[in-house]
Structures are given as C-alpha cells and as structure tokens.
Amino acid sequence: SRTKSDSGVSEVPVPADDTPEVLNKALSGLSSRWKNWWVRGILTLAMISFFFIIIYLGPMVLMMIVLCVQIKCFHEIITIGYSVYHSYHLPWFRTLSWYFLLCVNYFFYGETVTDYFFTLVQREEPLRILSKYHRFISFALYLTGFCMFVLSLVKKHYRLQFYMFGWTHVTLLIVVTQSHLIIHNLFEGMIWFIVPISCVICNDIMAYMFGFFFGRTPLIKLSPKKTWEGFIGGLFATIVFGILLSYVMSGYRFFVCPVEFNNDSNSFTVDCKPSELFQLQDYGLPPVLQSITGWTTVKLYPFQIHSIALSAFASIMGPFGGFFASGFKRAFKIKDFANTIPGHGGIMDRFDCQYLMATFVNVYIASFIRGPNPSKVIQQLLALRPDQQLHIFNSLKAHLTEKGLLPALEEAA
C-alpha cells in the first residue's frame, strides 16, 4: 500500500525493440553499446535527409510537418496517461483529449492566418466572417468540451478524472503552444526556423559523440549517460556550426524573407529585399585576434552574431528540455515516450529540446529583432471604413506637418 501510494501510478508497459531486422543482422556481431551507436547514427542520417527534403519543398510543407509532429507528440503523451489509468475505464477521456486538441489548434491557426495573411482573409467572404468571430467561435468550442467533461464525471473517480483533465491541458500547453510558436518563427523567415532546429540537432549529435568517446564525468542524475565532456564539447561545436550555417543561409532570399501572400499570383511567396540583418558588414576584430590572424576587420552578416545567442541557448538551456523529459519518463518508469524511431524512441524524445528552443526564438525575435511592420498597418487601414481612413489620413498629415516632414499648407483665402 505504501509503494502504491508513493508512486501513484502503475508502470507503463515497455515497448518491444523494433530495430529493423536488416540492421539487427548486419550489426549482430557488435556489442550492445556499439550496436546502439550505429543504429542511432544511421537513423539520424535518415532523419537529416528527410529534413533537407521538406526544407526544399517550402514553408507551407514545413508548417504541415510541424502540425503532424505536434499531433504525434500529443498522442504519445496522452497514450502514457491512458496506459497508466486504463484500468479505471474513464468515460470520454480520449475523446475529450482529442477534442480539446482540435479546439486549441483551431484557435491558434486561426490567429496565425488572420495575423499573417490579412489580405487573403479580407478578400474571401467566408474567411472574413470566421476571422471576425474567430475568438467567440473558439471559446464556444472550448466551452462545449468543458461541459462534456463535467457531464462525464463519475462518482468514485472524481479525483482521477480531474487529474486527467489537468494532464490533457498541461500537454496542450507544452505541445500545441510551442508548435504554434515554431510556426510563427517560420513565417518570420525560414532561417529563424532552420537555424535553431539545426543547432539543437547539432548539439544533440555532438554532445552524444563527445560523451561517447571522451565522457567520464556524469552531468546530472536524471540522465546518467550525460557527461560534462559531452556538454562542453557540444557547446563549442554547436556555436561554430551555427555561425557557419548562418553565413551560408543569409545569402539566400528563400531563407531570409518572411512568408507572405501575393494577391497577384494568389500564392504564398518568400521574395523580398533582405533587411540589414542579412547584408554583409565589416566588424573590427579584438587586438588579440588581430595579432593571430593579421586581419583588422572581418565581413559578417549581423544574423551570425545573433546565431551565437541561438547556439548558446540550444547548448546550455536546450538540454534542460531533455532533462525535464527524462524526469517525466522516470516518474512513469518508461525508457522512451514510444518506439516510433528505432534507437531514438518516440517523436517526443527527439523534440523535447525543440519546444523550449521555439519559445526562446519567439521571445528573442519579439525583444531584439522585430519592429513595426508597415505592411500590416496598411492592411488594417484598408479594412476600415472610408470615413475612418480619411480621419487617420488627416491626423497623420497634421502630425507630419508639425514635425516638419511635410511642407506646411497655406490656408485657403
């Protein structure tokens, strides 16, 4: 009774090894340590290749992939909850969980479409109506789910049902909200999506490599295989990788331009004049580096300076997303969230650090990068009534004249 009270849950069944038979035969002569190394390496290269393919297909495909990953991560976490409490046969648990996922996605994606593609929304009558009442519709949908939950309450299971209600909402907060921020970062320019994700991937790979070959000192008890050697080696390797990747990508409009809707072609475009953030500038080197290299200045993209902050966060704070996931798995006595990817676990096992990184990038853009957007202001002005537009025009003209930016108009005789 004491043990059951302390744990609070039963163990989740451990998934069976699903390593492809071809790899099992090819690596049968290796020790389990080296076999795992090769399996992880081969599957990592396959995932990186798939990542390159979806980048080539463009931002809209990337957005759909983010949605699919979000749904799969939600499914893995909800399945753990269902496996833990399955013996209680809670009514409507899975149905309500997926219903709330639908409601939250409707709210976030509706906000995103209205914010970034305002002209498209205003042009189509159904979209304009949905946009106008979007928040009311979203609230009505959530309220319906809330009432369904209250009606599903069963005597003797009240506490457990509220546990699972909280489980679902925390999962939505962690998974759906973060994926929404990833899509916002993507619409700012694909470089804000690719570089942070690549830095997390690079840090994961290099920390594993340094730890595998040189690891001696344990880093944290939650993850016994993590070492200080891997942590420090991954940090320096990721910073160098981030600077080099940023230099390559900053020269292409496809990566640096925000995603916009073109009314003339009725399609989404990523073409623009690159901002100063993506134009080469001269930077003076410190005296120490001047004596070593013989250079007084070096040409860099300003984004490369920002990439150092992104790489450092991915290496120092990003792993704490993994530690959080490790603590979660230990609490429920499971090795992985699922067995979707042999040698890696579930999709959530690969994206536990990405969600924390997405929040940082979104906050970083809002704090240090993004300024007023004239195109969005104009779009909103065009949606006003003619008398409101005229009032704003006269107010703006008077303001600019007062500032001396427009010549004062002579009063009519």
Side-chain angles (χ1 to χ4, degrees):
S1 175
R2 176 71 177 176
T3 303
K4 184 176 180 180
S5 175
D6 289 343
S7 64
V9 296
S10 58
E11 291 189 24
V12 179
V14 180
D17 178 26
D18 63 342
T19 304
E21 190 63 29
V22 176
L23 290 180
N24 278 327
K25 290 182 178 180
L27 305 174
S28 59
L30 299 177
S31 65
S32 59
R33 182 169 181 261
W34 279 100
K35 178 183 177 181
N36 183 63
W37 190 87
W38 278 105
V39 171
R40 286 175 65 94
I42 293 171
L43 269 297
T44 297
L45 291 176
M47 287 188 290
I48 291 175
S49 301
F50 177 71
F51 186 53
F52 285 146
I53 293 173
I54 61 175
I55 288 173
Y56 174 77
L57 294 176
M60 304 312 296
V61 175
L62 279 172
M63 185 180 72
M64 297 306 300
I65 293 295
V66 170
L67 177 61
C68 293
V69 168
Q70 172 216 117
I71 293 173
K72 180 56 179 172
C73 290
F74 182 84
H75 170 259
E76 291 177 357
I77 298 177
I78 290 298
T79 298
I80 292 174
Y82 185 77
S83 299
V84 170
Y85 300 116
H86 72 282
S87 60
Y88 292 95
H89 301 292
L90 297 181
W92 298 2
F93 168 60
R94 279 194 166 181
T95 302
L96 284 174
S97 296
W98 287 103
Y99 178 80
F100 282 125
L101 176 67
L102 176 65
C103 293
V104 174
N105 270 307
Y106 175 80
F107 171 74
F108 279 130
Y109 274 87
E111 293 284 311
T112 300
V113 170
T114 302
D115 188 29
Y116 285 92
F117 309 116
F118 187 79
T119 54
L120 172 64
V121 171
Q122 293 300 313
R123 195 180 65 181
E124 302 293 336
E125 183 65 24
L127 291 179
R128 185 161 62 247
I129 295 174
L130 288 174
S131 173
K132 183 177 180 180
Y133 302 106
H134 173 68
R135 296 198 174 186
F136 181 82
I137 295 173
S138 301
F139 178 72
L141 290 173
Y142 178 83
L143 197 61
T144 301
F146 179 80
C147 293
M148 289 171 63
F149 167 75
V150 173
L151 293 174
S152 72
L153 291 173
V154 177
K155 192 176 182 180
K156 297 182 180 180
H157 293 326
Y158 289 154
R159 179 179 297 181
L160 188 57
Q161 286 182 281
F162 277 101
Y163 280 159
M164 300 314 298
F165 184 77
W167 180 290
T168 300
H169 281 67
V170 171
T171 304
L172 291 172
L173 177 65
I174 294 174
V175 175
V176 182
T177 305
Q178 309 304 320
S179 64
H180 172 68
L181 297 180
I182 290 177
I183 292 175
H184 266 229
N185 300 339
L186 172 62
F187 284 150
E188 293 293 331
M190 289 179 64
I191 195 168
W192 291 104
F193 172 85
I194 297 172
V195 169
I197 285 183
S198 300
C199 285
V200 172
I201 294 173
C202 175
N203 180 255
D204 190 37
I205 294 173
M206 298 311 298
Y208 177 77
M209 296 290 287
F210 276 95
F212 186 87
F213 290 107
F214 309 107
R216 296 292 183 274
T217 312
L219 176 63
I220 187 171
K221 291 183 179 180
L222 279 173
S223 296
K225 294 183 180 180
K226 306 287 186 186
T227 62
W228 276 104
E229 291 80 4
F231 182 79
I232 296 173
L235 169 64
F236 286 103
T238 303
I239 290 176
V240 174
F241 171 80
I243 293 174
L244 295 177
L245 180 64
S246 299
Y247 180 82
V248 173
M249 297 185 65
S250 295
Y252 296 91
R253 294 186 179 184
F254 179 73
F255 295 120
V256 304
C257 291
V259 181
E260 296 179 345
F261 181 79
N262 190 312
N263 283 315
D264 298 329
S265 61
N266 285 329
S267 62
F268 297 99
T269 60
V270 284
D271 187 25
C272 66
K273 180 182 178 182
S275 64
E276 293 183 359
L277 199 62
F278 305 106
Q279 296 179 12
L280 285 171
Q281 298 182 17
D282 290 321
Y283 290 90
L285 291 177
V288 176
L289 293 179
Q290 289 184 20
S291 61
I292 297 175
T293 62
W295 302 337
T296 56
T297 61
V298 62
K299 282 187 175 294
L300 294 173
Y301 292 102
F303 182 80
Q304 288 180 271
I305 309 299
H306 295 289
S307 74
I308 297 175
L310 300 179
S311 302
F313 184 90
S315 303
I316 298 173
M317 300 305 299
F320 279 86
F323 300 152
F324 177 86
S326 296
F328 180 89
K329 289 183 285 188
R330 282 178 174 270
F332 293 95
K333 301 177 183 177
I334 57 176
K335 181 182 177 182
D336 298 310
F337 283 94
N339 58 352
T340 309
I341 310 171
H344 292 268
I347 298 295
M348 190 65 196
D349 291 285
R350 293 299 90 211
F351 285 84
D352 48 9
C353 300
Q354 298 288 3
Y355 287 126
L356 192 61
M357 187 71 188
T359 305
F360 172 73
V361 174
N362 192 268
V363 171
Y364 190 88
I365 292 174
S367 302
F368 304 109
I369 304 298
R370 184 188 296 136
N373 191 331
S375 63
K376 287 186 178 180
V377 174
I378 293 175
Q379 291 173 2
Q380 292 174 346
L381 287 176
L382 294 177
L384 298 176
R385 299 194 309 270
D387 60 315
Q388 294 174 323
Q389 295 176 358
L390 187 60
H391 174 72
I392 293 175
F393 170 77
N394 291 327
S395 300
L396 181 61
K397 182 173 68 174
H399 174 75
L400 294 176
T401 302
E402 182 181 347
K403 292 289 185 180
L405 299 176
L406 288 178
L409 299 176
E410 294 182 0
E411 295 184 1

